[in-house]
Amino acid sequence: MCPEKSLDPLGHHATTCKRGGDVVYRHNRLRDIVAESCRRAHLSVHLEVGHNLTPDHSNTCPADILIPHWCMGKPAALDLSVTSPLNPLTLLEAGVTAGAAAKATEERKLKANTGKCADLGWVCVPVVAESYGAWGLTARDFFSKLGSRLATSLGSQRIDTARGSSCSLCPGLALDRLGNHVTTCKRGGDVVTRHNHLRNVIVEFCHLAHLGVKVESGSGITPNLSRTWPADVLVLNWERGKHAALDITVTSPLIPSILTAASLSEEAAAEEAEVRKHRANDPKCSELSWVCIPLAVETYGNWSREAQSTFSRLASHLAIITSSHKSKVLTELYSRLNFTLVRAVARALLARCAPSLGLQDIV
């Protein structure tokens, strides 16, 4: 669509190109999903409101979604936006701080719309997502409040499955609307495939950084001959001459045992997975003189703190080898990992959802 431009390997142009209508379509689909969730929470909503209502007759629209009664009786003007962490203006900061691109866009939206919203007696709420799935702080705060209202409106009733669909691999088991079963179902091999693809991305970056690695190490070499292995990826001489046992795990914040904590803290599910992996693997790693490093990621793309620290160190190694800026290397690593995760979730969804769910329209 842009003959004069070449596609970059990280996909920045593909996610920001305004020709062909994809940017508008993506925006409107996100807007419609948020609006539908508001309606399910018994909130009144109006779409695309605010142009020509101020004294200067500005034609801009500060409210993609207007919720008439939200904050202390004031309407909330939700302004949805998708930004790319690969934008040259925010690339350096985005490579160091997760969510930096979303934060910068939030600040820009607030600066542009707060005045007009104040004239109308509205509260400006920028809802910003990065193209790889991370949401801004204001968006997460809004979704947390919306989730509380939605949970209240649903009460203790079970959420009915959309149009009666059930998992094609688990006969008789209904699919939940939030997708917990899709991302955790162990039938069909999707969980193993997702795990192995994430592992292979990390192995690839370790090789590029000239680090010695072994895959699936530690099985049957302790005194009790345990067949489990604490190292999906064993990085040789990682810390003070010790090998690092990287154990990759994907967890869901929608698991009933962690759901309440996950609704209050965005890192709760990943942190719980970290603790669980340490409890299971620390004794065996100690016997082998390895350093146990669990790499936990939630199905929505939020990585645990130990994972973030490990990726930062790996990016430093690779940046030195390739004479590149660390922020660029780290951004590419997260991009590859998150794209791999999103693709795996999509594959699992398509494998389980019946045509009656209407997914063929989305695809």
Side-chain angles (χ1 to χ4, degrees):
M1 296 184 182
C2 302
E4 71 280 5
K5 291 187 177 181
S6 57
L7 291 175
D8 56 288
L10 297 181
H12 173 61
H13 177 74
T15 59
T16 57
C17 178
K18 295 183 179 180
R19 296 185 180 179
D22 292 302
V23 169
V24 175
Y25 176 80
R26 177 182 63 194
H27 171 276
N28 292 346
R29 291 290 290 178
L30 290 173
R31 178 203 63 196
D32 293 344
I33 291 173
V34 174
E36 180 186 356
S37 298
C38 290
R39 294 188 184 103
R40 290 176 59 204
H42 298 171
L43 292 170
S44 176
V45 296
H46 304 285
L47 304 184
E48 309 297 345
V49 179
H51 58 280
N52 291 329
L53 295 180
T54 52
D56 62 354
H57 298 288
S58 171
N59 197 39
T60 59
C61 181
D64 294 317
I65 300 174
L66 181 68
I67 304 176
H69 303 284
W70 178 257
C71 181
M72 294 184 291
K74 289 186 175 181
L78 308 186
D79 187 2
L80 276 72
S81 180
V82 179
T83 187
S84 171
L86 302 176
N87 188 318
L89 298 177
T90 57
L91 178 59
L92 293 180
E93 189 176 358
V96 177
T97 306
K103 180 180 179 181
T105 303
E106 280 184 347
E107 293 173 351
R108 176 168 53 82
K109 289 288 186 179
L110 285 171
K111 183 178 180 180
N113 295 332
T114 298
K116 186 171 184 178
C117 287
D119 293 338
L120 299 168
W122 298 349
V123 177
C124 181
V125 182
V127 180
V128 181
E130 296 184 0
S131 52
Y132 293 114
W135 290 89
L137 290 174
T138 305
R140 294 200 294 268
D141 179 65
F142 169 76
F143 290 148
S144 177
K145 294 176 181 177
L146 177 60
S148 297
R149 294 194 180 210
L150 188 58
T152 301
S153 68
L154 292 173
S156 59
Q157 298 179 357
R158 294 180 59 187
I159 300 176
D160 294 330
T161 302
R163 301 178 191 148
S165 298
S166 60
C167 177
S168 60
L169 302 179
C170 303
L173 183 61
L175 290 173
D176 57 288
R177 284 182 181 271
L178 298 180
N180 180 49
H181 177 74
V182 167
T183 58
T184 56
C185 177
K186 295 184 178 180
R187 295 189 179 182
D190 291 300
V191 168
V192 175
T193 300
R194 177 182 64 195
H195 170 277
N196 291 347
H197 284 173
L198 290 171
R199 177 202 64 197
N200 293 343
V201 171
I202 294 172
V203 169
E204 178 185 343
F205 273 77
C206 287
H207 284 153
L208 292 174
H210 295 182
L211 295 171
V213 296
K214 294 182 180 179
V215 176
E216 309 294 353
S217 298
S219 174
I221 57 178
T222 52
N224 61 3
L225 298 180
S226 171
R227 295 304 302 171
T228 61
W229 46 75
D232 294 319
V233 180
L234 183 68
V235 185
L236 308 182
N237 301 316
W238 175 258
E239 182 177 325
R240 300 176 184 176
K242 291 186 176 181
H243 304 334
L246 309 185
D247 189 1
I248 303 162
T249 183
V250 181
T251 186
S252 171
L254 302 175
I255 295 174
S257 61
I258 196 66
L259 181 59
T260 301
S263 67
L264 300 175
S265 172
E266 63 179 22
E267 299 177 344
E271 288 178 353
E272 187 275 338
E274 274 188 352
V275 171
R276 176 164 41 84
K277 285 294 185 180
H278 273 300
R279 187 167 53 245
N281 294 333
D282 277 351
K284 188 167 185 179
C285 286
S286 296
E287 293 177 18
L288 299 168
S289 297
W290 294 352
V291 179
C292 177
I293 304 178
L295 305 181
V297 60
E298 297 179 1
T299 49
Y300 293 119
N302 186 43
W303 288 89
S304 64
R305 293 180 182 179
E306 286 192 63
Q308 294 177 36
S309 176
T310 302
F311 295 152
S312 177
R313 186 168 179 177
L314 176 57
S316 296
H317 280 282
L318 186 53
I320 294 173
I321 296 296
T322 60
S323 299
S324 302
H325 199 286
K326 177 184 174 180
S327 62
K328 182 178 180 180
V329 175
L330 191 59
T331 299
E332 183 174 355
L333 174 57
Y334 276 117
S335 300
R336 287 283 305 280
L337 289 169
N338 289 340
F339 179 77
T340 299
L341 181 62
V342 170
R343 185 170 60 179
V345 171
R347 184 187 300 111
L349 179 66
L350 293 175
R352 286 162 181 78
C353 292
S356 60
L357 206 60
L359 285 176
Q360 66 273 17
D361 298 332
I362 297 176
V363 177

